[in-house]
Amino acid sequence: MNESPTFDLAKSLRTTDLGVLARIAWFAGQYVMSIRQAGPLVRPGEQIERPKGPMPNWRSLIQSMLALAADDRELVAQGLLPPMDRSPPNLADVPRLLAKSRAYITDSKKVDARRLNREISDLPDGINPDRYPKYYLRNFHFQTDGYLSDESAALYDWQVETLFTGTAALMRRQGLVPIIRAMAGRDPRTMIMADIACGTGSFLENVADAFPAMAQIGIDLSRPYLKQAQARRPQVRRRLMIEAQAEAIPLADRSVDFASAVYLFHELPQGARERVAAELARIVRPDGLIIIADALQTGDRPDFDGLLDLFPIGFHEPFFESWTKCDVVGMMARNGFKLVETRLAHLTKICAFARCAITGQGS
Ligand SMILES: C[S@@+](CC[C@H](N)C(=O)[O-])C[C@H]1O[C@@H](n2cnc3c(N)ncnc32)[C@H](O)[C@@H]1O
């Protein structure tokens, strides 16, 4: 989105909920605190490639964040998203927020040291490497313990919200829109949703907020992350968490109504992406939907392309560049699925796929 000549920052700020603004300001503060204590992104003298695409300025980033908040509000008004709590945090929340913030800042010193040393295999002792694909055994984002400890699982959501200055939850929940549309006239008690690479369960929580009676399956390779996911929204009665690889989902053919992969594909090599796409297609029922939500790809918002070039320099993301060029629509078409909806939500793209009427290969 190019900066609109009619964009009125003051007016946009006035019309955005206080809770959303407080959230953005808080996580922007976390971001500033962590980069103030951090060293440079690269070692002195180390040559890095400069971003090739255009870089947005702060004003257009703020515009994009406020547009996301406005979009969320509008989607709630249209019944395409469940309401969310938009009130600013109350005093009782303060000790919890400060404790999280302290843990995040303390950990970010370790992340910075790893970034500077380009240390990407600093994983907890006792990991059995045979349980995981090789590409997984690394410190994505240079994060402590990779995905493989309780400490990492406890910090993950906070780190992601900080990286996206408080907009990650707003972006992710737009993955619900195609599901809510598809649910019109259907009974959630008879439906099953599987979130592949569910992480700490944020998207499953979004689904539970919209459809508490829908059965949920969470799949992930990280046992500590699954543990966090299991603890969220305990009122969901029909829920199963399975430690498994997305390339070999232990579910029967055509057994779920919705299958999602949220922020998974940018962390996979292309071969693994292809296998996961085939698995998503395999497990979804004939009238079901696949939701793939992930980072923007090159050209989705041309004025943001430089950010996509920059991201894998500051954060260990060895497969990100290939993600930005991956033909997701072609990949799903090879599995008999066609694109039915695309949404851009700030730095995230959500694609919904339905089975083609004349089924193709692999369907
Ligand atoms: C960037 S996180 C996204 C987590 C979650 N979907 C979210 O929206 O926050 C990536 C997740 O994918 C999981 N993961 C990565 N590769 C996987 C694979 N091949 N099979 C299953 N899970 C995988 C990781 O353990 C991690 O929880």
Side-chain angles (χ1 to χ4, degrees):
M1 176 176 68
N2 288 316
E3 196 180 320
S4 154
T6 56
F7 174 58
D8 181 341
L9 179 61
K11 183 167 170 231
S12 262
L13 286 171
R14 273 199 308 278
T15 52
T16 305
D17 309 82
L18 212 52
V20 173
L21 288 181
R23 186 180 174 86
I24 291 174
W26 170 267
F27 283 106
Q30 296 292 293
Y31 190 77
V32 170
M33 280 202 305
S34 62
I35 53 174
R36 274 181 69 120
Q37 66 166 21
L41 271 188
V42 293
R43 291 163 191 266
E46 189 180 348
Q47 292 301 315
I48 56 158
E49 239 183 282
R50 298 263 135 225
K52 295 187 204 76
M55 286 292 285
N57 59 26
W58 278 107
R59 204 180 143 83
S60 50
L61 277 173
I62 291 171
Q63 176 181 358
S64 175
M65 288 192 269
L66 298 181
L68 173 72
D71 203 17
D72 189 281
R73 212 187 158 106
E74 181 57 32
L75 289 164
V76 173
Q78 292 172 14
L80 288 170
L81 280 181
M84 67 181 259
D85 184 6
R86 290 157 194 277
S87 47
N90 61 39
L91 273 181
D93 282 333
V94 171
R96 184 186 63 82
L97 293 176
L98 290 180
K100 272 277 185 197
S101 169
R102 238 191 327 271
Y104 165 72
I105 296 293
T106 305
D107 180 68
S108 67
K109 291 183 189 147
K110 298 184 203 157
V111 173
D112 290 330
R114 230 172 270 117
R115 175 182 292 119
L116 212 53
N117 294 320
R118 295 289 181 252
E119 171 63 89
I120 55 165
S121 309
D122 182 15
L123 296 174
D125 293 337
I127 295 295
N128 176 358
D130 301 337
R131 294 176 72 100
Y132 307 101
K134 217 163 159 199
Y135 66 77
Y136 184 80
L137 288 174
R138 60 180 67 244
N139 305 86
F140 282 101
H141 294 204
F142 299 109
Q143 83 195 45
T144 304
D145 297 337
Y147 288 124
L148 294 170
S149 72
D150 291 335
E151 291 75 16
S152 162
L155 278 179
Y156 172 80
D157 292 301
W158 194 271
Q159 289 166 324
V160 174
E161 281 301 343
T162 301
L163 177 64
F164 293 110
T165 44
T167 61
L170 286 171
M171 295 191 288
R172 187 189 286 103
R173 85 191 208 109
Q174 286 218 8
L176 271 181
V177 173
I179 297 180
I180 292 180
R181 258 194 242 287
M183 281 298 292
R186 293 162 102 179
D187 180 354
R189 289 170 303 182
T190 65
M191 316 287 284
I192 305 177
M193 140 99 211
D195 188 26
I196 310 305
C198 64
T200 55
S202 299
F203 192 56
L204 287 175
E205 186 170 79
N206 293 152
V207 175
D209 288 343
F211 303 109
M214 192 185 289
Q216 300 197 336
I217 301 171
I219 306 266
D220 203 283
L221 268 172
S222 165
R223 193 174 294 178
Y225 277 54
L226 286 169
K227 220 170 15 166
Q228 286 272 337
Q230 180 73 46
R232 287 168 92 155
R233 294 287 187 272
Q235 67 274 28
V236 175
R237 296 223 318 274
R238 296 188 302 143
R239 182 157 63 185
L240 191 61
M241 295 291 164
I242 309 175
E243 186 184 339
Q245 199 171 329
E247 296 92 314
I249 301 172
L251 297 176
D253 295 359
R254 303 189 175 204
S255 57
V256 304
D257 300 281
F258 301 103
S260 52
V262 182
Y263 302 129
L264 169 66
F265 277 69
H266 75 274
E267 296 202 338
L268 299 177
Q270 183 58 27
R273 260 177 225 140
E274 297 277 354
R275 289 194 291 281
V276 174
E279 280 295 83
L280 293 170
R282 181 184 66 76
I283 63 170
V284 165
R285 287 183 178 144
D287 57 351
L289 269 192
I290 294 175
I291 313 294
I292 297 178
D294 218 302
L296 294 179
Q297 297 184 288
T298 307
D300 285 336
R301 296 182 67 168
D303 53 327
F304 280 18
D305 278 354
L307 273 185
L308 308 183
D309 299 337
L310 189 66
F311 180 56
I313 298 172
F315 298 85
H316 178 55
E317 285 285 6
F319 312 115
F320 189 81
E321 192 190 345
S322 82
W323 162 251
T324 62
K325 308 203 164 26
C326 170
D327 173 13
V328 195
V329 174
M331 189 167 75
M332 294 314 297
R334 287 192 287 285
N335 289 287
F337 275 72
K338 61 172 190 261
L339 183 67
V340 291
E341 182 171 351
T342 307
R343 312 187 59 78
L344 296 189
H346 185 39
L347 302 173
T348 294
K349 176 164 67 175
I350 293 116
C351 296
F353 296 90
R355 212 175 275 279
C356 298
I358 302 165
T359 51
Q361 179 198 340
S363 61

